[in-house]
Amino acid sequence: MLTETAEHGELIERLYSFSDLSDTRLRELIDDRTEADAELLAQRARERCEEIYGNDVFMRGLIEISSYCKNDCLYCGIRRSNKNAERYRLDPEQILDCCETGYALGFRTFVLQGGEDGYYNDELLCSLIGKIKSSYPDCAVTLSLGERTAESYKRLYDAGADRYLLRHETADKEHYEMLHPAGLSLEKRIECLKELKSIGYQTGCGFMVGSPYQTTDHIIKDLRFIKSFEPHMVGIGPFIPHKDTPFKDDPAGTAELTLYLLSIIRLLLPKVLLPATTALGTIDPMGREKGILAGANVVMPNLSPAQVRKKYSLYNGKVCTGEEAAEHVKELKSRIETTGRKLTAAKGDFAF
Ligand code: SAH
């Protein structure tokens, strides 16, 4: 047992030169992980993170702008064919109100996330982004609005958007097809990611941990993709089933593996902006803090109007009141402080 851990320890120390590690060794590190491995990984991940970002944990205000979606991703509660989903969309005025509230609470990044909803055409979004940036020139605007054309991404960037989150979901083609309907492809997803990065966005990819059919080999592919793409941000969280989707009876991913992978990702890309996600906070009430202790350095409290939060239901049981809510930022602050870190109001750009 001891030698095994010692060997894993050596692997952990070598993670930065990840490309040299064989799939067999990586499989071992993931499949035969021990608590001691997780502890060592987390410790190294925290050290690496602190070398770059010091004691800061950045906060982003998440505004869920629409629960309408033209896509039909099999895992997602707001998929088009879910007739039980309650649909809403925020108009630009409501979104600006959220920013005003958020700014007063100390937020300096606004994340606009939603289903793929045609209501938000380029014209509307460019005007909205322009207004946010002129009212709050010291803030960053992050978009997470799915796949759009290269031209659209460019227009939104020129209007002032700074960052874009688009999880690749899985780096394995067959697995991608098991999670998505025909018409959506990994190839297109990656093309969008490359486009976003080349335009100049701080770009984020990511995947769900424990999604249906996911194997360790898929996770290794995800890690290799992340390492080679070199995103500025990586969003990972456990898959959590939603009762009105084909995956309603599939088991959720675990916090334990999510945390382990957060640490690995921090070591692969020391500078990455890595959130302790809402999904992690949903399956484990201490998920946020544990995420920070595993190497994450971003939290994204919910800044949507309270009456729509339940309707943006990607998975069951989503936490959105408590410390997840932007208005409880004080409580979040003291909880983050228990990790020895400090929640900061800084805009929190990638350390280029
Ligand atoms: N339409 C946007 C935003 C999608 S929602 C886009 O396509 O990027 C943001 C993320 O939530 C998704 O990328 C997915 O990884 C995650 N998600 C969706 N359903 C989920 C579920 N059931 N459990 C956990 N995460 C989920």
Side-chain angles (χ1 to χ4, degrees):
M1 220 36 201
L2 196 67
T3 29
E4 235 179 64
T5 303
E7 271 181 27
H8 287 181
E10 185 206 315
L11 269 177
I12 290 165
E13 305 299 349
R14 284 172 53 203
L15 267 176
Y16 187 62
S17 48
F18 175 72
S19 326
D20 304 338
L21 295 179
S22 66
D23 282 2
T24 316
R25 300 308 308 275
L26 287 172
R27 211 174 289 124
E28 213 179 281
L29 186 67
I30 296 172
D31 285 344
D32 309 336
R33 64 187 180 277
T34 63
E35 263 181 54
D37 294 335
E39 247 170 66
L40 177 62
L41 259 178
Q43 191 187 325
R44 290 285 175 270
R46 277 199 304 276
E47 288 165 5
R48 208 60 89 244
C49 186
E50 277 164 26
E51 278 166 29
I52 292 153
Y53 293 101
N55 215 21
D56 289 346
V57 172
F58 304 111
M59 57 179 196
R60 325 296 196 193
L62 179 65
I63 309 174
E64 299 155 330
I65 68 172
S66 175
S67 68
Y68 285 91
C69 192
K70 69 171 162 52
N71 285 336
D72 217 19
C73 306
L74 275 72
Y75 46 83
C76 185
I78 63 166
R79 66 200 299 264
R80 182 188 60 217
S81 62
N82 180 8
K83 299 285 176 275
N84 296 328
E86 287 186 66
R87 308 291 174 175
Y88 73 90
R89 60 169 66 100
L90 303 181
D91 62 32
E93 281 311 309
Q94 290 172 296
I95 297 169
L96 287 164
D97 285 347
C98 294
C99 296
E100 192 181 338
T101 309
Y103 192 87
L105 290 166
F107 288 89
R108 295 296 177 266
T109 293
F110 303 115
V111 182
L112 275 43
Q113 187 182 84
E116 290 191 17
D117 177 358
Y119 168 80
Y120 300 91
N121 57 30
D122 291 349
E123 207 183 322
L124 181 148
L125 285 173
C126 287
S127 142
L128 172 64
I129 294 163
K131 283 183 187 154
I132 300 176
K133 292 294 282 194
S134 61
S135 306
Y136 311 103
D138 53 337
C139 291
V141 171
T142 303
L143 302 177
S144 179
L145 302 171
E147 296 176 17
R148 305 177 72 93
T149 63
E151 191 203 339
S152 171
Y153 287 148
K154 178 80 171 84
R155 286 183 66 184
L156 304 179
Y157 183 79
D158 290 341
D162 303 273
R163 311 181 188 137
Y164 206 105
L165 299 172
L166 185 77
R167 291 188 177 179
H168 64 283
E169 311 297 358
T170 168
D172 180 88
K173 184 177 180 295
E174 278 80 47
H175 188 215
Y176 196 95
E177 286 165 10
M178 292 165 121
L179 300 180
H180 298 95
L184 292 181
S185 72
L186 177 60
E187 206 187 348
K188 181 80 217 311
R189 200 80 178 167
I190 304 285
E191 197 184 299
C192 287
L193 278 166
K194 288 185 174 157
E195 192 59 46
L196 288 162
K197 206 176 169 206
S198 79
I199 289 171
Y201 283 98
Q202 291 174 48
T203 305
C205 63
F207 62 96
M208 290 177 288
V209 176
S211 60
Y213 312 110
Q214 186 182 59
T215 63
T216 303
D217 284 353
H218 293 147
I219 294 174
I220 292 171
K221 273 196 172 177
D222 287 321
L223 296 175
R224 292 210 190 279
F225 168 70
I226 289 171
K227 177 71 179 174
S228 67
F229 182 62
E230 293 191 86
H232 306 93
M233 311 174 277
V234 173
I236 68 162
F239 159 75
I240 302 173
H242 186 289
K243 65 176 176 40
D244 297 317
T245 64
F247 296 148
K248 63 180 183 339
D249 297 322
D250 282 81
T254 65
E256 181 269 328
L257 182 55
T258 305
L259 295 166
Y260 198 75
L261 294 172
L262 280 172
S263 300
I264 293 182
I265 292 166
R266 167 64 63 204
L267 293 174
L268 296 183
L269 298 175
K271 289 182 175 178
V272 79
L273 291 162
L274 195 60
T277 54
T278 308
L280 180 58
T282 296
I283 46 160
D284 184 331
M286 295 291 281
R288 282 268 155 96
E289 292 90 328
K290 290 181 183 170
I292 302 297
L293 290 170
N297 65 337
V298 173
V299 289
M300 298 170 65
N302 196 315
L303 197 51
S304 311
Q307 72 275 14
V308 306
R309 286 181 197 168
K310 285 278 172 217
K311 299 183 190 165
Y312 193 78
S313 172
L314 308 180
Y315 45 82
N316 287 137
K318 186 186 87 168
V319 286
C320 59
T321 51
E323 282 76 27
E324 301 302 319
E327 60 273 23
H328 295 153
V329 69
K330 276 208 185 88
E331 286 90 325
L332 181 64
K333 217 174 193 122
S334 47
R335 283 182 65 161
I336 298 293
E337 278 167 16
T338 64
T339 67
R341 291 285 186 76
K342 244 188 152 51
L343 195 62
T344 163
K347 187 173 162 196
D349 279 312
F350 180 76
F352 281 99

